[in-house]
Amino acid sequence: MEGVEQAIMRVQDGESEQYALIVETFQKPIYRYCCRLLNSRTEAEDAVQEVLVKAYQNIGQYRPLTSFSSWLYKIAYHHCLALLRKRTRQNKILMLFQPGPPAESPEQAMERRIFSEPLAIALAGLSPEERSLLVLRVFEEQSFAEIGEILDKNMEAVKKKYRRTLLKLGKMLEAQKGGNTWNRNDSLLKKKM
């Protein structure tokens, strides 16, 4: 990360070609985060590009009081929330003009069957903030302090929300399995604290 911090300072000093190192370092993790939050690979591909452009345009505002990673994830979080809100509005408008649910294409039906794992279904039932919290902690392995910076919350509030989100997710998974007890030794709980 030392090379990244140096690249950031050089970009802030006008050496824009140094931004390539930043893109190379963060493109894949930000893509994974956006993909899991948006639940769409194509939207995530576009989102990661837009996030990296926003970060470049605003890099002069970055101060090393927080980690660059947290600053970048915060941009991605707010960008994805805006996309999710826009998607919700568009779906509501489309519902007004459609007499019934749209017919599912064979490709969509196959994708739904392949990717309809219990965890994916349960994650889709969480709010964007809850899903973001789990993705940042479990998949992106961010600390509670970093997640607090990204979500603009204090660390204790993040820990409490994380515990509640795990319980909610567990109940959703139990409901999908017909009331069977959810395996509390699951990898999500191993990252609990």
Side-chain angles (χ1 to χ4, degrees):
M1 282 300 173
E2 189 175 308
V4 170
E5 291 296 329
Q6 290 175 350
I8 292 165
M9 292 186 322
R10 292 173 81 179
V11 171
Q12 288 175 328
D13 289 338
E15 296 181 43
S16 58
E17 67 278 355
Q18 292 296 312
Y19 197 66
L21 174 64
I22 296 167
V23 169
E24 184 180 310
T25 303
F26 291 103
Q27 189 170 15
K28 286 181 183 175
I30 294 296
Y31 168 76
R32 286 190 312 261
Y33 173 70
C34 292
C35 193
R36 290 183 178 118
L37 196 56
L38 297 170
N39 202 22
S40 167
R41 290 181 182 130
T42 55
E43 281 186 79
E45 288 170 1
D46 293 339
V48 74
Q49 297 305 317
E50 292 167 17
V51 165
L52 290 170
V53 168
K54 283 181 187 179
Y56 177 75
Q57 292 170 339
N58 296 298
I59 201 159
Q61 297 173 13
Y62 168 72
R63 300 290 174 256
L65 302 172
T66 62
S67 73
F68 184 76
S69 171
S70 295
W71 185 76
L72 193 57
Y73 274 102
K74 187 174 190 172
I75 293 171
Y77 171 68
H78 288 288
H79 183 77
C80 288
L81 278 184
L83 290 175
L84 290 169
R85 286 185 197 113
K86 182 179 177 182
R87 185 192 301 166
T88 301
R89 282 192 305 271
Q90 288 174 339
N91 287 342
K92 286 180 182 178
I93 291 170
L94 285 174
M95 293 301 286
L96 294 173
F97 295 105
Q98 291 180 349
E104 193 174 52
S105 72
E107 293 84 14
Q108 289 171 325
M110 180 61 77
E111 187 172 296
R112 182 178 44 78
R113 280 189 223 114
I114 292 172
F115 294 108
S116 65
E117 306 170 340
L119 182 58
I121 294 167
L123 285 173
L126 297 175
S127 73
E129 184 182 43
E130 292 167 331
R131 200 166 46 241
S132 177
L133 178 61
L134 281 177
V135 169
L136 286 169
R137 182 68 181 155
V138 177
F139 297 108
E140 299 303 320
E141 299 179 351
Q142 299 285 323
S143 71
F144 285 114
E146 290 171 319
I147 295 170
E149 290 173 17
I150 295 166
L151 301 179
D152 289 325
K153 297 186 182 300
N154 72 46
M155 190 171 71
E156 290 306 313
V158 169
K159 285 181 179 180
K160 195 178 287 186
K161 179 82 171 177
Y162 181 73
R163 277 187 238 116
R164 277 191 251 127
T165 301
L166 283 179
L167 290 173
K168 180 178 178 180
L169 184 65
K171 288 178 183 175
M172 294 168 76
L173 288 169
E174 284 178 16
Q176 286 184 40
K177 293 179 181 180
N180 293 343
T181 304
W182 181 46
N183 181 3
R184 301 232 184 263
N185 294 323
D186 194 271
S187 63
L188 292 175
L189 289 175
K190 290 178 185 170
K191 293 192 178 276
K192 193 173 186 179
M193 297 301 150

